[in-house]
Amino acid sequence: MAAGVFCMCGIVGIVGSNAVAERLVDALKRLEYRGYDSAGVATIHNGAMDRRRAEGKLFNLEKRLDAEPLPGNTGIAHTRWATHGVPNVTNAHPHFVDGVAVVHNGIIENFSELRDELTAEGAVFTTQTDTEVVAHLMAKYLREGVEPRAAMLRMLNRVSGAYALVVMLKSDPGTLMAARSGPPLAIGYGRGEMFLGSDAIALSPFTNEIAYLVDGDWAIVTRDGAEILDYAGNPVERPRQISQTTAYVVDKGNHRHFMEKEIYEQPEVISHALSHYVDFASNTVGDNAAAIDFKSVSGLAISACGTAYLAGLVGKYWFERYARLPVEIDVASEFRYREMPLSPSQAALFISQSGETADTLASLRYCKDNGLKIGAVVNVKESTIARESDAIFPIMAGPEIGVASTKAFTCQLAVLASLALGAGKARGTITPEQEKQMVRHLAEMPRIMSRVLNLIEPQMESLSRELSKCRDVLYLGRGTSFPLAMEGALKLKEISYIHAEGYAAGELKHGPIALIDENMPVIVIAPYDRFFEKTVSNMQEVAARGGRIIFITDEAGAAASKLPTMATIVLPNVDEIIAPMIFSLPIQLLAYHTAVFMGTDVDQPRNLAKSVTVE
Ligand code: F6R
């Protein structure tokens, strides 16, 4: 495939009864988590179509609009995350061709072939985007005299790939046409106004009455309502629901960044999440952790991406240990193509904050096709992954705006711990006494988290000055601290841009030890658990080669180890079922303060987006 500028992006449209440009930008602000390479808005006014576009973040577009406002009661808008090519104004959406305007989220896979065909017929392409073929196809059919709906249907039957699209025509100012094949698209019902958006949060200031298009749907939206059709042109019904997202207030409170706010919210949101799964009065795991019949399943397949995958990896240790349930786990981008043999006697768990991650969704569909029972551990309950699952396990973290996941990670862990205990209970692999004991530990967790956050903050801040001078950092851990080591490295590299790797401590001597010298800090995560002595031996190997150790341990561990370190971070002694959540806090704060110290864009690090709806 030729290189093009593909996008992952957020889209929005309004057919309104008064000016829409400002409201479109307001909606884009709620979609900026989907990408922030460029943004644009287009409206129709007095029979003319016009647009404003700007490179970079939304405030650049706002400045453009302040200088040159856009009147008009119908409009579309877009915020972009490019995967190929330079994110510049020319490639920013909306794309215009002969009175057709298009915004698009996803990839038109056959764009190259369509572009060649249209170019041969005389079309002149002005951008490097795949999206422009959609505008050219529409323009061509309209020029040939095809009426707008038929043109839309013809265009949809020519393009292939993953897309959510909104099309606006200069000739029809009171209508927007939209289609979904992959990335999500919601229709919002207002009073005398109608809305389209990549999610319900985008539309939340305008309406909470939402219908989601399903793959293969397209819609004609006017001020009075929406007609939803399939690709054969037959009408279909999609239920309207009242979205729960409208109540969310998205602001930073007293914090400098959303990431900081989200780190400090963890005690509260974890307590909320836990109370959904465990009964603190009886110290037992409740029915919400039993939405999958763990007793009868022969094994568990877990798939997710990035931080969510690392939460799954901690979950694997728990399901295997407490429920004696074999777990197959892989990153979703590998899982979906591995063609692994699966049996309908297994269940599958998909972990995703956004619930929209393309690779995770594809893995889910692979498991569904193989007859597995599907469970979704998600933050966004109305997301595609949630809607396509048999059982939803919400993590109840509230909106996570910082691109680097923090509270979603620890809430995912809290939910997975509850599910593993629920599975152990159902399978008879933990006794009622053990269940009670571990639920008691879970119940203590929010309080311990608050204490730890206050306790370690000053130390993390001063340590981050040292870390910010480094080019490379190694994180080591064993058992559930191994995924945490990888999570620590991921957090550091994504927001501070310092190269970092997480390793299983025992693997050190099989290669990475060659990197150790006095310039390489090694962050060792080692609660005083059954692996402690082994991890300390690995630390010894680092110390013997002049490596500088940052030791994250607990009181018992600090007392037991006499090795010299660059710094020792001492957490309270906690039970091993809650250790991964508690030990997440120093690694999050260390990454956060290092990034702040280095002056990077903490909440919106370069090249990243919060919701990854392309492969
Ligand atoms: C890292 C991070 C990403 C996400 C990953 C999956 O801090 O946030 O690695 O975890 O993109 O996203 P979700 O959970 O939305 O599927």
Side-chain angles (χ1 to χ4, degrees):
M1 199 192 311
V5 181
F6 303 134
C7 69
M8 190 166 66
C9 321
I11 57 181
V12 51
I14 305 179
V15 197
S17 47
N18 46 46
V20 292
E22 207 174 303
R23 290 189 288 160
L24 286 167
V25 173
D26 185 33
L28 286 187
K29 285 184 185 156
R30 290 162 188 273
L31 288 175
E32 216 180 3
Y33 71 88
R34 304 178 76 91
Y36 34 80
D37 287 334
S38 67
V41 50
T43 59
I44 303 182
H45 184 59
N46 286 343
M49 206 159 72
D50 203 356
R51 65 182 166 180
R52 305 284 177 265
R53 297 177 297 164
E55 206 177 309
K57 294 199 181 169
L58 263 179
F59 56 75
N60 294 334
L61 177 65
E62 284 183 293
K63 273 194 267 167
R64 281 280 293 122
L65 279 164
D66 282 347
E68 270 187 281
L70 264 187
N73 294 359
T74 300
I76 55 178
H78 188 268
T79 179
R80 189 166 82 93
W81 184 82
T83 58
H84 295 63
V86 190
N88 56 16
V89 175
T90 311
N91 291 326
H93 299 217
H95 292 296
F96 277 13
V97 175
D98 298 341
V100 178
V102 179
V103 286
H104 165 221
N105 166 24
I107 296 173
I108 306 294
E109 277 168 6
N110 59 344
F111 89 96
S112 176
E113 166 194 327
L114 288 170
R115 188 174 166 134
D116 290 348
E117 179 187 313
L118 289 159
T119 305
E121 290 170 13
V124 178
F125 280 79
T126 57
T127 77
Q128 301 162 284
T129 66
D130 53 330
T131 309
E132 199 181 344
V133 296
V134 173
H136 274 290
L137 275 177
M138 283 298 293
K140 168 184 147 145
Y141 297 142
L142 293 171
R143 265 196 318 271
E144 289 170 1
V146 180
E147 61 89 25
R149 306 172 153 233
M152 180 80 176
L153 198 50
R154 245 162 102 170
M155 178 276 290
L156 291 174
N157 282 300
R158 286 299 318 275
V159 297
S160 59
Y163 53 79
L165 284 170
V166 183
V167 174
M168 179 170 81
L169 303 180
K170 189 171 103 179
S171 56
D172 194 358
T175 305
L176 293 177
M177 291 190 286
R180 176 185 183 180
S181 170
L185 194 58
I187 297 178
Y189 293 78
R191 294 222 171 87
E193 299 193 294
M194 290 288 290
F195 307 90
L196 285 156
S198 292
D199 66 24
I201 296 182
L203 304 183
S204 62
F206 317 129
T207 180
N208 64 354
E209 204 178 326
I210 300 290
Y212 288 95
L213 295 186
V214 304
D215 280 356
D217 281 356
W218 67 287
I220 300 148
V221 179
T222 64
R223 277 183 54 187
D224 305 319
E227 204 181 329
I228 307 177
L229 304 140
D230 64 19
Y231 280 16
N234 303 312
V236 291
E237 286 291 325
R238 300 295 167 219
R240 289 196 213 175
Q241 45 189 275
I242 300 301
S243 162
Q244 301 303 317
T245 56
T246 42
Y248 290 147
V249 180
V250 182
D251 74 44
K252 288 189 225 156
N254 296 328
H255 295 276
R256 283 170 295 177
H257 299 99
F258 280 109
M259 184 178 177
E260 184 183 48
K261 173 178 176 245
E262 288 155 7
I263 289 173
Y264 278 88
E265 270 173 5
Q266 290 176 105
E268 191 188 333
V269 291
I270 284 230
S271 139
H272 191 48
L274 282 172
S275 59
H276 188 72
Y277 296 96
V278 299
D279 177 1
F280 292 129
S282 59
N283 286 319
T284 54
V285 185
D287 288 346
N288 287 337
I292 282 184
D293 178 12
F294 288 112
K295 185 168 194 279
S296 63
V297 301
S298 63
L300 207 53
I302 302 182
S303 175
C305 300
T307 288
Y309 161 74
L310 296 172
L313 203 49
V314 176
K316 171 186 165 80
Y317 285 84
W318 284 332
F319 278 108
E320 293 186 342
R321 176 144 190 233
Y322 299 121
R324 309 302 301 150
L325 200 53
V327 175
E328 172 71 59
I329 178 163
D330 213 340
V331 290
S333 52
E334 292 299 317
F335 188 106
R336 63 183 293 189
Y337 294 118
R338 259 174 66 201
E339 299 182 19
M340 70 180 89
L342 292 168
S343 134
S345 67
Q346 290 170 280
L349 272 190
F350 299 90
I351 308 166
S352 174
Q353 188 284 128
S354 63
E356 301 295 350
T357 302
D359 284 321
T360 310
L361 181 59
S363 303
L364 181 156
R365 289 176 178 160
Y366 177 77
C367 289
K368 211 167 187 175
D369 290 345
N370 280 274
L372 276 71
K373 183 100 172 156
I374 309 292
V377 178
V378 287
N379 198 24
V380 183
K381 280 197 275 183
E382 292 164 16
S383 57
T384 312
I385 287 175
R387 279 182 282 125
E388 295 197 12
S389 295
D390 302 309
I392 304 176
F393 300 105
I395 63 164
M396 336 258 300
E400 191 180 61
I401 309 296
V403 163
S405 189
T406 51
K407 63 174 180 170
F409 177 64
T410 47
C411 284
Q412 284 160 353
L413 291 180
V415 172
L416 290 167
S418 308
L419 297 188
L421 294 186
K425 177 180 176 173
R427 298 166 69 81
T429 49
I430 55 169
T431 63
E433 198 35 56
Q434 286 170 319
E435 178 191 356
K436 274 197 170 47
Q437 196 58 38
M438 284 191 276
V439 172
R440 266 191 219 115
H441 290 304
L442 291 177
E444 286 169 357
M445 184 162 57
R447 185 182 49 77
I448 300 174
M449 284 185 128
S450 292
R451 207 174 110 214
V452 167
L453 284 168
N454 291 326
L455 185 78
I456 62 173
E457 164 93 49
Q459 193 186 5
M460 296 299 98
E461 206 170 342
S462 63
L463 203 51
S464 66
R465 284 164 203 264
E466 288 302 308
L467 222 52
S468 66
K469 296 179 200 144
C470 302
R471 273 195 34 217
D472 309 280
V473 179
L474 207 57
Y475 287 71
L476 300 178
R478 279 178 184 259
T480 53
S481 298
F482 161 47
L484 277 198
M486 290 197 278
E487 172 60 6
L490 176 60
K491 224 72 316 168
L492 186 71
K493 63 187 148 196
E494 75 177 320
I495 59 170
S496 75
Y497 317 144
I498 294 173
H499 171 241
E501 298 298 335
Y503 264 94
E507 274 290 291
L508 186 70
K509 53 190 161 303
H510 299 290
I513 199 162
L515 296 169
I516 307 288
D517 62 17
E518 60 287 357
N519 298 318
M520 168 80 106
V522 180
I523 300 181
V524 180
I525 305 167
Y528 193 70
D529 57 14
R530 61 205 162 100
F531 308 110
F532 183 80
E533 293 303 334
K534 306 246 175 259
T535 310
V536 168
S537 311
N538 302 131
M539 242 165 81
Q540 188 85 56
E541 294 155 13
V542 172
R545 283 151 185 91
R548 294 188 299 158
I549 296 161
I550 297 175
F551 187 31
I552 307 181
T553 187
D554 48 28
E555 286 152 4
S561 163
K562 300 285 172 263
L563 278 181
T565 62
M566 173 179 159
T568 301
I569 298 148
V570 186
L571 305 181
N573 295 331
V574 294
D575 187 81
E576 58 184 309
I577 187 84
I578 64 169
M581 286 72 105
I582 305 296
F583 277 70
S584 294
L585 303 176
I587 61 175
Q588 293 171 349
L589 282 174
L590 207 50
Y592 171 73
H593 285 295
T594 305
V596 171
F597 193 70
M598 294 178 80
T600 59
D601 190 340
V602 173
D603 284 333
Q604 294 184 324
R606 68 186 182 204
N607 309 335
L608 290 170
K610 188 72 185 159
S611 176
V612 184
T613 55
V614 291
E615 267 194 58

